[in-house]
Amino acid sequence: MLAALFIQGGINALKAPEGHAAAAKPVLDAVAPAVDRAVEMAPIDQRPDDEMLIKIDAGVKIVAGTLLAFGKYPRLASTALAATLVPTTLAGHRFWEETDPQRKQEQQIHFLKNVGLLGGLLIAAADTEGKPSLGWRGRKAAKLAAAATAAQAGAISGTASDVTGRVTGAVHDVGGKVSGSAHDAGGAVAGLAAGLAGIAPAAGAAVSSRKGADLSSRAGEISADWSKRAAKAQRKAEKRGAKLQKAAEKRGAELQKRAAKRSAELQKHTAKRLEKVGPLRDQASKLGHDVAARAASVSSEVVHQAEGLAKDARKRAHALSSH
């Protein structure tokens, strides 16, 4: 549904590229320097005309829209459509240049509609179908590959050692059997023809030695091949492990640096707060001392007045008793 509008727009642009080129001329003129630099780097002789650029843009919309409609490479297709939508919107819906209020409102509606389409395309381009992010999956795949490489290297080393041992045992076994057969044959021939008694054992020993040498050489070649493969796999695993360790150390250093920076900011903020609270604390202490002194003064004054009133009362009582 999101791709339908782009496919239709691309088909219309291919049918009438000259009209779209005239409408997109302000944007094409603005991006002309960037297009010229791209042409210099590209293997073409001259810059395409405006109608050819419109046709290229239309082809991208049709191809990317079709891929998105059928669910093929949706992230890549959505990114390509989003890239084509920006110049299309700026070229075809320049509402700020309209003088007619009704025409300006219509172009503004189309402009906001394209902004909504751009948001939908960005969502589709970032969608991972419920799976974790691409970065997380890449790091996990790297770890699994390193573990699998290490396991494979260990398995190859074990297999090479096992094969070498088996081949060596087989060589000794075959050599022993051939030697025994040669000696038995020599004894039989010695009983039939005494003149051939010395020749037969020598021939049997020569055949046995040649077969044993061939098997030993073959075993050595197999062992060397497996050892070479195991060493190669081990070097790959060590190289990958070193890269992962370097990345982990770099990430740890970044996190430590962020933590130190955050700690310094918190300490600075706390110091500022304490600086603000310090004067208030001094003022409160001074006010407390002033209140205490005022209270003591008032208390002494009240006591003095009370003593004077008591003295007056005694004088009046004495005067009344005399009368």
Side-chain angles (χ1 to χ4, degrees):
M1 289 186 291
L2 185 61
L5 184 62
F6 294 95
I7 297 174
Q8 182 188 13
I11 294 174
N12 293 335
L14 285 179
K15 289 181 178 180
E18 60 278 357
H20 289 77
K25 186 171 179 57
V27 176
L28 293 175
D29 293 340
V31 299
V35 175
D36 293 336
R37 286 194 297 269
V39 170
E40 292 177 358
M41 298 174 61
I44 56 178
D45 296 334
Q46 60 183 1
R47 177 178 179 271
D49 56 7
D50 293 345
E51 292 186 6
M52 180 58 66
L53 293 176
I54 294 298
K55 291 180 181 179
I56 294 173
D57 180 75
V60 173
K61 288 179 179 178
I62 294 173
V63 174
T66 303
L67 290 175
L68 181 61
F70 286 98
K72 301 296 183 180
Y73 307 104
R75 292 165 57 86
L76 179 61
S78 299
T79 304
L81 292 177
T84 61
L85 182 61
V86 174
T88 301
T89 303
L90 295 177
H93 305 296
R94 304 170 68 86
F95 65 90
W96 55 89
E97 295 180 354
E98 297 291 339
T99 57
D100 184 12
Q102 184 176 359
R103 180 68 178 169
K104 182 176 182 179
Q105 185 177 5
E106 292 176 357
Q107 291 298 327
Q108 188 175 12
I109 290 174
H110 287 298
F111 184 89
L112 295 177
K113 174 204 67 178
N114 285 7
V115 172
L117 289 174
L118 179 62
L121 290 172
L122 293 178
I123 292 174
D127 182 28
T128 57
E129 299 179 356
K131 299 177 183 179
S133 65
L134 294 177
W136 184 89
R137 281 187 277 176
R139 290 190 296 271
K140 185 178 180 181
K143 292 180 180 179
L144 292 177
T149 303
Q152 185 178 6
I156 290 174
S157 300
T159 305
S161 300
D162 189 14
V163 170
T164 302
R166 291 182 181 181
V167 172
T168 304
V171 169
H172 289 296
D173 190 12
V174 171
K177 289 182 179 180
V178 172
S179 298
S181 298
H183 288 296
D184 291 340
V189 173
L192 295 175
L196 298 176
I199 300 174
V207 172
S208 174
S209 300
R210 186 171 60 255
K211 289 185 178 181
D214 292 339
L215 290 175
S216 299
S217 177
R218 182 59 179 168
E221 292 177 358
I222 294 174
S223 177
D225 184 43
W226 281 102
S227 299
K228 186 183 294 183
R229 293 183 181 181
K232 186 177 181 180
Q234 186 175 2
R235 286 195 299 270
K236 288 184 178 180
E238 291 176 353
K239 186 176 180 180
R240 184 60 183 169
K243 289 182 178 179
L244 293 175
Q245 184 177 2
K246 185 177 180 181
E249 292 176 354
K250 183 177 179 181
R251 183 61 177 170
E254 291 179 356
L255 293 176
Q256 186 176 4
K257 187 176 179 181
R258 291 182 182 177
K261 184 177 180 181
R262 183 59 179 169
S263 177
E265 291 178 354
L266 291 176
Q267 291 179 357
K268 187 176 180 181
H269 181 68
T270 304
K272 289 183 178 180
R273 293 295 298 271
L274 290 176
E275 290 177 358
K276 292 181 180 180
V277 172
L280 295 177
R281 183 176 57 190
D282 295 338
Q283 292 178 2
S285 177
K286 183 178 180 181
L287 182 61
H289 289 302
D290 292 341
V291 170
R294 184 62 178 171
S297 176
V298 171
S299 176
S300 61
E301 186 177 355
V302 170
V303 171
H304 181 68
Q305 290 180 0
E307 291 178 353
L309 292 174
K311 188 175 181 180
D312 291 342
R314 286 195 298 270
K315 287 180 179 181
R316 291 181 181 180
H318 182 69
L320 289 175
S321 60
S322 299
H323 292 294

